[in-house]
Amino acid sequence: MELRALRYFVAVADELHFGRAAERLHIAQPAVSRRIAQLERELGVRLLDRSPRRVRLTAAGHRVLAAAREALAAVDRVQAAAGAPAGTMRIGTAAGFGARLERGVDALREHPSALGVDVELVDLPLTARLDGVRRGEIHLALARGVRSAPGLRVLPAWTEQLFAIVSVRHLAAGRPAVDVADLDVGGLRIPSRDHGLLLPGALTAAMRKAGIDTRAGRLAGTVQDTIVEVGLNPRSWTVLPGDQVAEIRSTRVRAIPFAPRTTITGSVVVPVDLPATCAAAHQAAFGD
């Protein structure tokens, strides 16, 4: 079994789309399909349900995804312990940062202190991202909704508007804005803790006032899984930031801004002892 196949599988599982996964990996789509088919043969299970219109994880796929993330994180730790190649900057990221990540990496490469530096993206759940920075395995990480973290410096860098994602058949689908109180108390769908958001206090307070407990919302796997589920159910809904909304491809859902307008802060997370000039450069690279 090749680590490359696990990385390809994780990318497809995050995107639930072979084309987008291939773009993220910077390789041709047929290569991704072949590697995952080979992985399925080696494991003797089907990891993905494929159809012309959608890709979904099977029950075995969900189990293998968790193990694959752990395996890849372990490999990253081994490589870091051995010493990353000189001139390599490792950035902890995840699906959903899209264009911001591309702009940020370009900006970092143009900074005088980073000329000739190679950039390696490390796809990890939020907790693992922060732990990677804390252990020195990752140079910086991107995160949303994180205000502080022990042993780390959290640098607010950008702001995104939050949207309610609803089915096109939802009663609020045609509105220009929506109040949390107008959404079904039991309809909240939350991406798994690895993929989800740390929602800002203003929104969670509004949810509590409306009788919605964010801890009681049903977990729905990846962000893409959640979007698919919301599109199939006219009563369910979820919350996503603007950058992730821009990446939605489904025609079965609508993104509606909250009223009053609600935003979430995105941050660059770096080691607490990083020199101030470097920290400021990282913060500016990914800022609005």
Side-chain angles (χ1 to χ4, degrees):
M1 184 186 305
E2 294 185 359
L3 289 174
R4 184 185 307 174
L6 294 182
R7 293 193 189 279
Y8 290 8
F9 169 60
V10 169
V12 174
D14 283 341
E15 301 293 342
L16 291 181
H17 191 284
F18 280 85
R20 291 198 296 273
E23 291 177 5
R24 171 171 149 186
L25 294 164
H26 305 294
I27 58 176
Q29 181 176 331
V32 177
S33 300
R34 285 195 301 271
R35 289 286 181 183
I36 292 180
Q38 179 182 351
L39 180 62
E40 289 177 321
R41 288 194 297 271
E42 291 177 354
L43 295 175
V45 295
R46 182 173 290 278
L47 302 174
L48 300 164
D49 282 332
R50 307 161 174 83
S51 76
R53 300 188 65 180
R54 69 180 185 183
V55 176
R56 299 200 71 176
L57 286 165
T58 63
H62 280 287
R63 294 193 298 271
V64 171
L65 177 60
R69 289 191 190 281
E70 292 175 5
L72 293 173
V75 170
D76 289 336
R77 289 195 293 272
V78 170
Q79 291 175 336
T88 298
M89 176 180 289
R90 306 181 83 236
I91 300 176
T93 184
F97 287 105
R100 183 174 301 279
L101 185 59
E102 293 179 353
R103 294 194 304 271
V105 170
D106 285 344
L108 286 176
R109 284 174 168 161
E110 292 174 1
H111 194 273
S113 64
L115 292 178
V117 170
D118 189 24
V119 173
E120 179 183 353
L121 303 181
V122 184
D123 192 305
L124 291 170
L126 177 59
T127 300
R129 252 176 284 158
L130 300 183
D131 286 343
V133 178
R134 199 174 282 115
R135 290 192 296 262
E137 299 164 4
I138 296 173
H139 295 88
L140 67 94
L142 303 185
R144 293 184 180 96
V146 177
R147 290 186 290 183
S148 64
L152 299 173
R153 187 184 302 176
V154 179
L155 307 170
W158 74 90
T159 300
E160 294 175 65
Q161 186 171 5
L162 286 174
F163 293 80
I165 309 302
V166 302
S167 164
V168 293
R169 296 177 293 156
H170 194 284
L171 293 176
R175 297 182 186 178
V178 65
D179 191 295
V180 169
D182 296 328
L183 298 169
D184 188 345
V185 171
L188 178 61
R189 298 292 179 261
I190 303 174
S192 72
R193 303 306 181 194
D194 285 349
H195 302 277
L197 296 173
L198 299 176
L199 296 175
L203 183 58
T204 55
M207 288 181 173
R208 285 196 298 270
K209 185 176 181 180
I212 301 169
D213 184 353
T214 59
R215 296 170 299 176
R218 188 159 74 76
L219 297 180
T222 67
V223 171
Q224 291 300 326
D225 279 343
T226 307
I227 291 171
V228 170
E229 183 169 336
V230 168
L232 296 173
N233 187 334
R235 294 180 59 194
S236 66
W237 57 284
T238 192
V239 181
L240 288 181
D243 282 1
Q244 286 187 311
V245 168
E247 296 181 1
I248 293 177
R249 301 294 185 271
S250 175
T251 59
R252 296 189 175 192
V253 298
R254 292 286 182 272
I256 310 172
F258 286 103
R261 189 176 188 271
T262 308
T263 62
I264 191 168
T265 299
S267 298
V268 175
V269 183
V270 299
V272 70
D273 58 353
L274 186 71
T277 54
C278 292
H282 296 345
Q283 183 180 24
F286 293 96
D288 286 326

